[in-house]
Amino acid sequence: MTGQLVLAALAGIATIVILIVWVKIHPFLALMAGSGVMAIAAGANYVDLFASFTTGVGATISGTGLLIVLGSIIGTLMVGSGGADAIVDTILDKTPIKRLPWAMALIAFVIGIPLFFEVGVVILIPVVMFAARRAKQPAILVGIPALAGLSVLHALVPPHPGPLIAIDSLGANLGMTLGFGLIIAIPTVILSGPLLAKPMARWVPVPANEDFLGAKGG
């Protein structure tokens, strides 16, 4: 039975990855399909499958939906008002070139607090390319710290949806989760960001792609 559940979980994960990466389906729809595949592979009754899904979604939205919506609004306001650009430009203007990877990790950490991961990536891609171009450094030296900051924050630190859903499901303390999440997140960002970027930049010394620079790079 345990083996079947493990295989069902793997099937669900594989379905989600395939639908998002190759089929290009919206992540929410991919998660719905993945959960259905996992339930069927686990041997769940079809009637119970829909009841369980609607109950689970309703409980999750009632516990964390408002915070997720408010976080999305804050992120949209930051992008639309130019606040995100102001934060990025301020940090870059005060950073020497040798500290640029650390600055990008900090930018991603700050920008990523109210934003979904994919929104943060869209915002930071041109910034990464512009910063790498200005510093005459490989794009990966700047890009890896940015991705590390976004990924770790998104996975470990509330108010991101993933940590919030886990907190609600487990009945965990929000403040303690935030505190311990930061304790784990900071060294993780350092190791997987600026420190890892140095050897990776030597392995992949590709300069910034001018197609992503837009008006800033011009």
Side-chain angles (χ1 to χ4, degrees):
M1 184 64 180
T2 302
Q4 182 182 4
L5 294 177
V6 172
L7 292 175
L10 292 176
I13 294 171
T15 301
I16 294 169
V17 171
I18 291 172
L19 290 177
I20 293 176
V21 175
W22 284 292
V23 186
K24 307 298 182 183
I25 288 180
H26 191 279
F28 181 76
L29 298 177
L31 288 170
M32 290 178 60
S35 64
V37 169
M38 183 175 66
I40 293 172
N45 182 279
Y46 287 100
V47 176
D48 294 338
L49 186 156
F50 289 101
S52 176
F53 179 80
T54 54
T55 301
V57 171
T60 299
I61 292 176
S62 66
T64 63
L66 182 61
L67 291 175
I68 293 173
V69 170
L70 291 176
S72 300
I73 292 172
I74 293 173
T76 302
L77 291 175
M78 283 185 63
V79 176
S81 66
D85 288 335
I87 294 172
V88 170
D89 292 338
T90 300
I91 295 177
L92 288 179
D93 288 341
K94 298 181 181 297
T95 303
I97 292 177
K98 65 180 181 179
R99 300 293 182 191
L100 195 55
W102 297 88
M104 287 307 305
L106 176 61
I107 288 171
F109 209 81
V110 173
I111 292 295
I113 290 175
L115 300 177
F116 286 99
F117 176 81
E118 59 271 21
V119 178
V121 170
V122 170
I123 292 173
L124 289 179
I125 282 178
V127 176
V128 165
M129 294 300 176
F130 171 68
R133 178 82 170 181
R134 188 173 72 176
K136 298 181 179 179
Q137 299 291 332
I140 202 166
L141 182 67
V142 186
I144 291 297
L147 288 176
L150 286 174
S151 301
V152 171
L153 196 69
H154 187 80
L156 296 175
V157 183
H160 281 289
L164 281 178
I165 291 171
I167 289 169
D168 184 64
S169 299
L170 299 175
N173 182 282
L174 178 60
M176 291 186 66
T177 303
L178 176 61
F180 284 117
L182 286 172
I183 290 174
I184 298 172
I186 292 173
T188 303
V189 169
I190 292 173
L191 291 173
S192 62
L195 296 183
L196 180 62
K198 290 184 178 180
M200 292 187 70
R202 291 195 294 268
W203 301 335
V204 189
V206 179
N209 190 334
E210 294 185 13
D211 293 341
F212 286 94
L213 295 177
K216 274 191 171 182

